[in-house]
Each structure stands twice: as structure tokens, then as C-alpha cells.
Amino acid sequence: MHAVIKKIGFEVNIFVASTLIDLYAKCGSIKEAYIVFSSVEEKNVVLWNAMISGFSRHARFMEAMISFEKMQQMGMYPNEVTYISVLSACGHMGLVEKGWRYFDRMKKEHNLSPNVFHYSCMVDVLGRAGRIQEAKDLMDNMPFKATASMWGSLLASCRIHGNVELAEVAAKHLFEIEPHNAGNHVLLSNTYAAKKKWAEVAKARKLLKDSEAKKERGKSWIEVKDKVHTFMVGERTHPRIVEIYSRLEDLLEEMKRLDYKVDTEHDLHDVEEMRKQELLRHHSEKLAFTYGLMTLPSCAPIRIMKNLRICGDCHSFMKLASIITGREIVVRDTNRFHHFKNGFCSCGEFW
């Protein structure tokens, strides 16, 4: 489609270009998004917003901030959408003070009233940084009623930072607002599991079963030669699954020489250690990566999409895989894009 657009001369059209930028950013190709952005000479606020949003999604905080300042130097005023992207970037990098500065700046410098989305971003900024009580206080004192998104963000932060007390408060509100969202039950259960509160885990799982809410199964997918291949943990149906498992085992053996050990802390089932290791070693994103390694050209990045948050063990696996294979790996989970290269991730271990 991009090739057709370029041939007929529509690439310089602001509306087409902003959509292309958004498309590339959402597909994990932030470099291509920036190439499109740079090719348009007459930029408007929509184009700038699309690029800043893309940088934010890919944890390119410095690029997002530079673009934010540069658009103003070019005579463009940031609007409500611009500030949502900037605050989101602060959340992804744990920059609380910068987040507050931008939150105040939108009112004082640009006469913009923060709406429910800006408050939601600030709740996320505070929660991700572990300042969960501050996030709760902000929700209690804001001029809006807290949304499901805010309570969900607070619950996710409680899970990451082990705050059981506020997790229970957030979950109670979510059960009322979203009675059919099984993800909220799972987050609460995982918060208990991380603290080894197995009795509470059992209660949370019974509540989930009684609620009849449907739990979303974790899955990852990868596109190879215009076909999407989907994997689940312990996959058995893919036509090349035997070969995939064999190649994955070879990879894991190589990683052992780099002191990689399956981190069972990230499996929250009350089962034996060996079973935990087995569950983790066959997570869906590992299978999708292995298939990409087997089928994609050596010069191509391996792009994986996932419908849940990437776990810490898979995050460590991808870092080591990028060293062993020399490949760039891009994983999009529910929160952001992770770019793995030479043993490092763009998220800076903050996600």
C-alpha cells in the first residue's frame, strides 16, 4: 500500500502520511515511521502527534521530548492529544517528576484543562514507579469519577510492586464496573500468588469461576510470508512444532553457557519447581521467536505480537537470544514495544 501511495504522489498528503506513521509505529517499525514523517515538508499538529505517539509507544523518550519541543519551535502548539503521548512516555520510563512538570505545564503554558485521559496517564506514571498511594490519592481528588482504565492501571501496578491492600480495593471497583472482564480476577490472583498467599489465590480463582467471566488465553503471533502463525504455551498443532521445540532446546542449551536459568519466580502456579520450569520454557513468545528464527531472512528483524504482558523470564530470554543469534527482536505486548538488540532492551528494564 505504501508503494502504491508513493507512486501516485499521495505520500506528501498530511492525512495519508499521518496514517502511515501510525501504521508503521503500531507494527513495530518506528524507523520507517520516522522516514515517512521526515519526508513531509509542511507538517501540522496531527503529523507531529502521530510521530510523538509512535516514539512514546516504542519507549523512545528522548525522541518524544525533542519532537515535543521542536514542534513548538516550528510554531505549532501542542494540544490535548500531544500531552497524552508525552505523559504516556513518562509513564513508560518511570519519570514521575517530568510527568508532573508536563501535567502542570499544559495548564499554565498552553491553557489546556487536563481531561480524564491525562489523569489516567498520571495514575499510570505514579503507579509504574511504585508510588501507588500517590496514584490512589490523585484518583480520590480529581474532578472526575475514576474509570475502569484507572482502576486497571492501579491494579496492574499493585501486582508489579506487591501492594495487596490496594490491589483488593482496585479489584473490588473493577468487579463492579467490568463484571465480565476475567483479566481483573487474574491480576488479583497473581498479586496474591506473588506473595505466596495460596489460600487467597484459591478464593480469587473460585470467584473468577463463579463470575462466568471468560479468561483470555495468552498467545503470540508472527507474520511470515504474508501468513500469520499463532502460538500458545505448550503448542502442539503447528505443522512444524516438533522442529520448533528442537530448535528452542538448542537455543536454551546455548543460553545455559551464558548463565541463563529459567526464572520460576515468574510462574505463579502452585506447582513443583520442575513443572514451573517446563511451563516457562515453552511460553508462546519463545515459540513464535524460534519459528521466526527458522523462517525469516537473517537480515530481517523478528517481530512478535502478544496479547498479554511479557513475563520477566521471556524478557531475559529475548535479551540473550539477541546476543546469540545477532538478530534484532521486537516484541509488542499489551503495554508497549520492546526492542531487543545486543543483549539490551529499549525499555531499560522498566515495563
Side-chain angles (χ1 to χ4, degrees), residues 247-281:
R247 183 71 180 90
L248 177 56
E249 289 304 314
D250 291 343
L251 261 177
L252 291 167
E253 284 300 316
E254 284 188 71
M255 287 183 183
K256 281 181 184 176
R257 291 195 282 273
L258 295 175
D259 290 332
Y260 168 73
K261 293 177 183 175
V262 176
D263 191 348
T264 54
E265 182 185 328
H266 300 288
D267 184 273
L268 302 175
H269 296 89
D270 187 15
V271 295
E272 294 179 358
E273 192 75 6
M274 288 298 291
R275 177 59 177 152
K276 285 188 177 186
Q277 289 187 20
E278 186 183 333
L279 287 168
L280 283 166
R281 71 194 290 123

Coordinates of all heavy atoms in Angstrom, one line a residue, residues 247-281:
R247 N 14.6 -26.8 18.0 CA 15.5 -25.6 17.8 C 15.5 -24.8 19.1 O 16.5 -24.2 19.5 CB 14.9 -24.8 16.6 CG 15.8 -23.5 16.3 CD 17.1 -23.9 15.7 NE 17.9 -22.8 15.4 CZ 18.8 -22.2 16.2 NH1 19.0 -22.8 17.4 NH2 19.5 -21.2 15.9
L248 N 14.3 -24.7 19.8 CA 14.3 -24.0 21.0 C 15.1 -24.6 22.1 O 15.8 -23.9 22.9 CB 12.8 -23.9 21.5 CG 12.5 -23.2 22.9 CD1 13.1 -21.8 22.9 CD2 11.1 -23.2 23.2
E249 N 15.2 -25.9 22.2 CA 16.0 -26.6 23.1 C 17.5 -26.4 22.9 O 18.3 -26.2 23.8 CB 15.7 -28.2 23.1 CG 14.4 -28.6 23.7 CD 14.2 -28.1 25.1 OE1 15.1 -28.2 25.9 OE2 13.1 -27.6 25.4
D250 N 17.9 -26.3 21.6 CA 19.2 -26.0 21.2 C 19.6 -24.6 21.7 O 20.7 -24.3 22.2 CB 19.4 -26.1 19.7 CG 19.4 -27.5 19.2 OD1 19.5 -28.4 20.0 OD2 19.2 -27.7 18.0
L251 N 18.7 -23.7 21.5 CA 18.9 -22.3 22.0 C 19.1 -22.2 23.5 O 20.0 -21.5 24.0 CB 17.7 -21.4 21.6 CG 17.7 -20.5 20.3 CD1 16.4 -19.8 20.1 CD2 18.9 -19.5 20.4
L252 N 18.2 -22.9 24.2 CA 18.3 -22.9 25.7 C 19.6 -23.5 26.2 O 20.1 -23.0 27.2 CB 17.1 -23.7 26.3 CG 15.7 -23.0 26.1 CD1 14.6 -24.0 26.4 CD2 15.6 -21.7 26.9
E253 N 20.1 -24.5 25.5 CA 21.4 -25.1 25.8 C 22.5 -24.1 25.6 O 23.4 -24.0 26.5 CB 21.7 -26.3 25.0 CG 20.9 -27.6 25.4 CD 21.2 -28.0 26.9 OE1 22.4 -28.0 27.3 OE2 20.2 -28.2 27.6
E254 N 22.4 -23.3 24.5 CA 23.4 -22.2 24.3 C 23.3 -21.2 25.4 O 24.4 -20.7 25.8 CB 23.2 -21.6 22.9 CG 23.7 -22.4 21.7 CD 23.6 -21.6 20.4 OE1 24.4 -20.7 20.3 OE2 22.7 -21.9 19.6
M255 N 22.1 -20.9 25.8 CA 21.9 -19.8 26.8 C 22.5 -20.2 28.2 O 22.9 -19.4 29.0 CB 20.5 -19.5 26.9 CG 19.9 -18.7 25.7 SD 18.2 -18.2 26.0 CE 17.9 -17.4 24.4
K256 N 22.4 -21.5 28.5 CA 23.0 -22.0 29.7 C 24.4 -21.7 29.9 O 24.9 -21.4 31.0 CB 22.8 -23.5 29.8 CG 21.4 -24.0 30.2 CD 21.3 -25.5 30.3 CE 19.8 -25.9 30.6 NZ 19.7 -27.4 30.6
R257 N 25.1 -21.6 28.7 CA 26.6 -21.3 28.8 C 26.7 -19.8 29.1 O 27.8 -19.4 29.5 CB 27.2 -21.6 27.5 CG 27.3 -23.1 27.2 CD 28.3 -23.5 26.1 NE 27.7 -23.3 24.8 CZ 27.0 -24.2 24.2 NH1 26.8 -25.3 24.7 NH2 26.5 -23.9 23.0
L258 N 25.7 -19.0 29.0 CA 25.7 -17.6 29.3 C 25.0 -17.4 30.7 O 24.6 -16.3 31.0 CB 25.0 -16.7 28.2 CG 25.6 -16.7 26.9 CD1 24.8 -16.0 25.9 CD2 27.0 -16.1 26.9
D259 N 24.9 -18.5 31.4 CA 24.3 -18.4 32.8 C 22.8 -18.1 32.8 O 22.3 -17.6 33.8 CB 25.1 -17.4 33.7 CG 26.5 -17.9 34.0 OD1 26.7 -19.1 34.1 OD2 27.3 -17.0 34.2
Y260 N 22.1 -18.5 31.7 CA 20.7 -18.3 31.7 C 20.0 -19.4 32.5 O 20.3 -20.6 32.3 CB 20.1 -18.3 30.3 CG 18.6 -18.4 30.2 CD1 17.8 -17.3 30.6 CD2 18.0 -19.6 29.8 CE1 16.4 -17.4 30.6 CE2 16.6 -19.7 29.7 CZ 15.8 -18.6 30.1 OH 14.5 -18.7 30.1
K261 N 19.2 -19.1 33.4 CA 18.4 -20.1 34.2 C 16.9 -19.6 34.1 O 16.6 -18.4 34.2 CB 18.8 -20.1 35.7 CG 20.2 -20.7 35.8 CD 20.6 -20.6 37.3 CE 22.1 -21.1 37.5 NZ 22.5 -21.0 38.9
V262 N 16.0 -20.6 33.9 CA 14.6 -20.3 33.8 C 14.2 -19.7 35.2 O 14.4 -20.3 36.2 CB 13.8 -21.5 33.5 CG1 12.3 -21.2 33.6 CG2 14.1 -22.1 32.2
D263 N 13.7 -18.5 35.2 CA 13.3 -17.8 36.4 C 11.9 -18.2 36.8 O 10.9 -17.6 36.4 CB 13.5 -16.3 36.2 CG 13.4 -15.5 37.5 OD1 13.0 -16.1 38.5 OD2 13.7 -14.3 37.5
T264 N 11.8 -19.1 37.7 CA 10.4 -19.6 38.1 C 9.6 -18.7 38.9 O 8.5 -18.9 39.2 CB 10.6 -21.0 38.8 OG1 11.5 -20.8 39.9 CG2 11.1 -22.1 37.9
E265 N 10.3 -17.6 39.4 CA 9.6 -16.6 40.1 C 8.4 -16.0 39.3 O 7.4 -15.5 39.8 CB 10.5 -15.5 40.5 CG 9.9 -14.4 41.4 CD 10.9 -13.2 41.6 OE1 12.1 -13.5 41.7 OE2 10.4 -12.1 41.7
H266 N 8.6 -16.1 38.0 CA 7.6 -15.5 37.1 C 6.4 -16.5 36.7 O 5.5 -16.1 36.0 CB 8.2 -15.0 35.8 CG 9.3 -13.9 36.1 ND1 8.9 -12.7 36.5 CD2 10.6 -14.0 36.0 CE1 10.0 -12.0 36.7 NE2 11.1 -12.7 36.4
D267 N 6.5 -17.7 37.2 CA 5.4 -18.6 37.1 C 4.6 -18.6 38.4 O 5.2 -19.0 39.4 CB 5.8 -20.0 36.7 CG 4.6 -20.9 36.4 OD1 4.1 -21.5 37.4 OD2 4.2 -21.0 35.3
L268 N 3.4 -18.3 38.4 CA 2.6 -18.1 39.6 C 1.6 -19.2 39.9 O 0.6 -19.0 40.5 CB 1.9 -16.7 39.5 CG 2.8 -15.5 39.3 CD1 2.0 -14.2 39.1 CD2 3.8 -15.4 40.5
H269 N 2.0 -20.4 39.4 CA 1.2 -21.6 39.7 C 1.7 -22.3 41.0 O 2.9 -22.3 41.1 CB 1.1 -22.6 38.5 CG 0.5 -22.0 37.3 ND1 1.2 -21.3 36.4 CD2 -0.8 -22.0 36.9 CE1 0.3 -20.9 35.4 NE2 -0.9 -21.4 35.7
D270 N 0.8 -22.8 41.8 CA 1.3 -23.5 43.0 C 1.6 -25.0 42.6 O 0.9 -25.9 42.9 CB 0.1 -23.5 44.0 CG 0.6 -24.1 45.4 OD1 1.8 -24.2 45.6 OD2 -0.3 -24.4 46.2
V271 N 2.7 -25.1 41.9 CA 3.1 -26.5 41.4 C 4.6 -26.6 41.7 O 5.3 -25.7 42.1 CB 2.9 -26.6 39.9 CG1 1.4 -26.6 39.6 CG2 3.6 -25.6 39.1
E272 N 5.1 -27.8 41.5 CA 6.5 -28.1 41.7 C 7.5 -27.3 40.8 O 7.1 -26.9 39.7 CB 6.8 -29.6 41.5 CG 6.1 -30.5 42.6 CD 6.4 -32.0 42.3 OE1 7.1 -32.3 41.3 OE2 5.9 -32.8 43.1
E273 N 8.7 -27.2 41.3 CA 9.7 -26.3 40.5 C 9.9 -26.8 39.1 O 10.0 -26.0 38.2 CB 11.0 -26.4 41.3 CG 12.0 -25.3 40.9 CD 11.7 -23.9 41.3 OE1 10.8 -23.7 42.1 OE2 12.4 -23.0 40.8
M274 N 10.0 -28.1 38.9 CA 10.3 -28.7 37.6 C 9.1 -28.4 36.6 O 9.3 -28.1 35.5 CB 10.5 -30.2 37.7 CG 11.8 -30.6 38.3 SD 13.2 -30.0 37.3 CE 13.1 -31.1 35.9
R275 N 7.9 -28.5 37.2 CA 6.7 -28.2 36.3 C 6.7 -26.7 36.0 O 6.4 -26.3 34.8 CB 5.4 -28.5 37.1 CG 4.1 -28.2 36.4 CD 4.0 -28.9 35.0 NE 2.7 -28.6 34.4 CZ 2.6 -28.6 33.1 NH1 3.6 -28.9 32.3 NH2 1.4 -28.4 32.6
K276 N 7.1 -25.8 36.9 CA 7.2 -24.4 36.6 C 8.2 -24.1 35.5 O 7.9 -23.3 34.6 CB 7.6 -23.6 37.9 CG 6.5 -23.5 38.9 CD 7.0 -22.5 40.0 CE 5.9 -22.3 41.0 NZ 6.2 -21.3 42.0
Q277 N 9.3 -24.8 35.5 CA 10.3 -24.6 34.5 C 9.8 -25.0 33.1 O 10.1 -24.4 32.1 CB 11.6 -25.4 34.9 CG 12.4 -24.8 36.0 CD 13.7 -25.5 36.3 OE1 14.2 -26.2 35.4 NE2 14.2 -25.4 37.5
E278 N 9.1 -26.1 33.1 CA 8.5 -26.7 31.9 C 7.5 -25.7 31.3 O 7.5 -25.4 30.1 CB 7.8 -28.0 32.1 CG 7.4 -28.7 30.9 CD 6.6 -30.0 31.2 OE1 6.9 -30.6 32.2 OE2 5.8 -30.4 30.4
L279 N 6.7 -25.1 32.1 CA 5.7 -24.1 31.7 C 6.3 -22.9 31.1 O 5.9 -22.4 30.0 CB 4.7 -23.7 32.8 CG 3.7 -24.8 33.3 CD1 3.1 -24.4 34.6 CD2 2.6 -25.0 32.2
L280 N 7.4 -22.4 31.8 CA 8.0 -21.2 31.3 C 8.8 -21.4 30.0 O 8.8 -20.5 29.2 CB 8.9 -20.6 32.4 CG 8.2 -19.9 33.6 CD1 9.2 -19.8 34.8 CD2 7.7 -18.6 33.2
R281 N 9.5 -22.5 29.9 CA 10.4 -22.7 28.8 C 9.6 -22.8 27.5 O 10.2 -22.6 26.4 CB 11.3 -23.9 29.0 CG 10.7 -25.2 28.9 CD 11.6 -26.3 29.5 NE 12.7 -26.6 28.6 CZ 14.0 -26.5 29.0 NH1 14.3 -26.1 30.3 NH2 15.0 -26.8 28.2

